[in-house]
Amino acid sequence: MATFDGYPRESGPAGVRNYVAVIPISVTASPVAEAVADRTAENVSATPHQMGTDPPEAAREQVERTLSGVARNPNVGAALVVSLGTETVDADAVADAAAAAGRAVETLSIRETGGTAAAVDEGTELARDLHAEIADLRREERDASELVFGVECGGSDATSGIAANPAVGAACDRLIRDGGTATFSETPEFIGAEHVLAERCVDEAVRERLLERVKRREATAELMDVDLRGAQPSPGNQEGGLTTIEEKSLGAISKGGTTPVRGIVDYAERLPVGGGLVLMDTPGYDIESVVGKVAGGAQVVAFTTGRGSTTGNPLAPVIKVTGNPKTADRLAANMDVDASGVIDGEPIDSVGERIYRTLLDVASGERTAAERRQLEEFAVNELQPNELAELRGDA
Amino acid sequence: MKGAVLGDAGLHMAAQDNVVTAIDDLDAGTEIPYDDRTVELAEAIPFGHKVALVPLEPGDAVMKYGETIGEAVEPIAPGEWVHTHNCESRRGRGDRTADREAA
């Protein structure tokens, strides 16, 4: 039986980290959240972002859903929600999400406190108190079936689809065999490979929903009378040998492994625990896509790269995997798993086993390269005007 | 690794593929054994890039992973580099939607 040492939670699966999350409601509250995290303990972590105080309704709803999901992620032991006090995103709703999951939570309004300096002082006190509340919690042995594993790829090249992605996919297959959940996203990178995924859907409803989501992302390009070629594959992907979006997608989907597709959820929507392979409908931008999965409940992320990527996340450890021998060499200090041996004949399954072991070790507290270097990128997906129009039913 | 390595130079991922992926920086003239023939590289091919194994005409499907990854937009001879200059996507083509509506 595969296990890891995690932090038990009052409800839901165990955490792999035990953070006080300092969550700003808007861009205005972000500097205060960052200052509070800087002034307190190492495991007080802020999630600064760029969302405004009064976004359009569909965007507001998405920001609230994302921040609520982040607040109840299993890695969050306690949450401090920081607002300016005028935002339409409801700070109390975000705080309630954490409280409903049994986490200690406080809110802080910059307006009510009397400005940013006073808010930083007050927030620092609150964060220290929250930290004191959770600092004594100890890890205990938990079943691997409690893990929700998010997989992502970025800076892809031809090695991604040949080595790193199928190897991470083999790790997903192992976790799912052991009862866990694996999830991958980036719907634009299903284009040209959706027929392969559709065949693996467990039922007609999932299949229809998947195809509808892919069609919507493809239509975004068509609505604008442009083709995807400028952006997908990106100029960097093209330099790495990827010619078309179909080629990129066929390589990208292998990072989810080979098991049936059990569902597809919205950006930042809650992922099932013990749910097998579940997709999330997200844009292709890595940072936003990772945050969507962390908001959905992923405790650990694996991130494959060919050309190189160094990014992490403030709340979930990100395991970096490369199949490109040059990147494995040049960015060795930022990589956790070298999958480039696949090119020279190392079996994908043996690299998959190494990645699965790394996942369990990281879940038990081993720090990733991104964590050691405090790389903690965070961004919430902002709905674009054409997406808002479609959600309103104008398009 | 899925597929077969041809001549220690190119990865042929599925039997029906008409391109191979260079697994090293390959020089022009490198020979890749394929189907009782030898495909000689017409130009240098960087690591990770693709080489045609068979003659391709405009409109022909380019196959990798056993799937269509796009179509040839000009004649491509065996041993030539296959990339954005001679192979295009069939998907996400808003530019073609505009053409269709104009037609």
Side-chain angles (χ1 to χ4, degrees):
Chain A
M1 185 75 80
T3 60
F4 68 103
D5 294 329
Y7 293 100
R9 299 299 181 204
E10 206 175 288
S11 72
V16 305
R17 298 292 181 268
N18 193 34
Y19 282 113
V20 175
V22 186
I23 303 172
I25 288 297
S26 66
V27 64
T28 320
S30 289
V32 171
E34 283 185 287
V36 166
D38 284 347
R39 285 190 184 191
T40 42
E42 195 183 340
N43 49 355
V44 176
S45 195
T47 62
H49 60 85
Q50 299 296 316
M51 297 296 113
T53 52
D54 191 10
E57 176 53 25
R60 189 203 66 77
E61 198 275 328
Q62 178 155 299
V63 174
E64 196 170 292
R65 179 170 78 244
T66 306
L67 299 180
S68 298
V70 165
R72 65 167 173 260
N73 181 287
N75 297 347
V76 175
L80 170 61
V81 180
V82 184
S83 63
L84 173 63
T86 63
E87 293 95 334
T88 52
V89 172
D90 186 357
D92 288 334
V94 175
D96 287 350
R103 313 294 160 61
V105 62
E106 295 285 353
T107 56
L108 173 70
S109 158
I110 298 168
R111 246 164 67 109
E112 280 173 28
T113 318
T116 52
V120 171
D121 289 342
E122 172 83 14
T124 303
E125 287 301 310
L126 291 169
R128 282 187 180 140
D129 290 347
L130 288 168
H131 184 251
E133 267 188 64
I134 66 167
D136 291 336
L137 191 66
R138 291 291 165 255
R139 289 180 184 270
E140 60 180 45
E141 189 175 79
R142 310 293 293 200
D143 197 276
S145 62
E146 290 186 47
L147 290 173
V148 177
F149 184 33
V151 300
E152 181 75 28
C153 58
S156 298
D157 68 10
T159 65
S160 302
I162 294 169
N165 287 342
V168 166
C172 289
D173 287 351
R174 282 172 164 70
L175 176 63
I176 289 167
R177 175 200 65 200
D178 289 338
T181 298
T183 182
F184 70 100
S185 59
E186 303 182 283
T187 318
E189 295 164 27
F190 301 167
I191 295 173
E194 70 270 52
H195 59 291
V196 180
L197 290 172
E199 274 175 29
R200 281 167 48 198
C201 288
V202 286
D203 61 37
E204 192 56 25
V206 173
R207 199 179 79 87
E208 273 175 24
R209 190 168 151 85
L210 166 71
L211 293 175
E212 183 261 321
R213 292 311 174 103
V214 175
K215 205 170 151 188
R216 192 192 285 181
R217 297 276 174 185
E218 192 171 16
T220 302
E222 289 180 359
L223 271 178
M224 294 157 78
D225 281 349
V226 295
D227 70 292
L228 279 169
R229 284 172 300 171
Q232 290 284 14
S234 69
N237 296 150
Q238 292 180 16
E239 200 179 315
L242 299 176
T243 304
T244 64
I245 182 61
E246 295 94 316
E247 181 181 16
K248 182 175 175 176
S249 296
L250 288 160
I253 63 166
S254 62
K255 67 183 176 289
T258 58
T259 64
V261 175
R262 302 205 168 272
I264 177 164
V265 300
D266 278 331
Y267 180 84
E269 190 181 343
R270 196 190 293 232
L271 290 156
V273 177
L277 179 63
V278 179
L279 310 185
M280 182 178 280
D281 179 20
T282 76
Y285 178 45
D286 308 330
I287 307 300
E288 294 176 355
S289 175
V290 166
V291 166
K293 286 177 282 206
V294 171
Q299 301 112 313
V300 187
V301 173
F303 190 123
T304 66
T305 185
R307 297 169 53 77
S309 162
T310 59
T311 53
N313 180 272
L315 300 172
V318 176
I319 300 166
K320 281 281 158 66
V321 181
T322 187
N324 183 317
K326 285 178 187 158
T327 299
D329 182 35
R330 286 181 197 153
L331 282 179
N334 294 97
M335 294 295 133
D336 297 287
V337 179
D338 178 359
S340 66
V342 170
I343 313 280
D344 299 320
E346 182 180 2
I348 282 169
D349 214 43
S350 104
V351 185
E353 179 63 25
R354 272 201 282 138
I355 295 168
Y356 189 45
R357 289 293 133 203
T358 303
L359 163 62
L360 296 173
D361 289 346
V362 166
S364 301
E366 190 179 295
R367 282 148 62 87
T368 64
E371 287 182 294
R372 290 195 299 273
R373 284 163 186 77
Q374 292 180 292
L375 300 168
E376 302 178 340
E377 291 76 4
F378 190 91
V380 179
N381 172 237
E382 182 168 21
L383 290 169
Q384 299 303 305
N386 58 332
E387 293 175 285
L388 290 167
E390 187 174 315
L391 290 168
R392 280 198 309 264
D394 298 355
Chain B
M1 186 159 57
K2 259 191 196 159
V5 176
L6 308 181
D8 215 19
L11 173 63
H12 196 220
M13 298 199 71
Q16 59 270 52
D17 290 0
N18 49 22
V19 295
V20 289
T21 302
I23 57 169
D24 208 339
D25 290 325
L26 304 177
D27 295 326
T30 302
E31 295 186 341
I32 296 178
Y34 169 64
D35 197 24
D36 302 333
R37 280 168 279 159
T38 298
V39 173
E40 188 180 324
L41 298 193
E43 53 203 311
I45 306 291
F47 174 77
H49 287 246
K50 295 175 292 300
V51 180
L53 291 172
V54 300
L56 295 166
E57 292 301 322
D60 284 355
V62 176
M63 306 282 293
K64 179 182 169 183
Y65 296 106
E67 302 282 344
T68 301
I69 62 162
E71 64 185 40
V73 291
E74 54 183 69
I76 307 173
E80 286 184 353
W81 184 34
V82 177
H83 202 31
T84 47
H85 60 293
N86 56 13
C87 171
E88 282 189 0
S89 173
R90 290 174 168 176
R91 302 293 303 275
R93 296 296 297 269
D95 56 336
R96 291 189 179 170
T97 313
D99 291 347
R100 273 202 305 277
E101 282 164 5

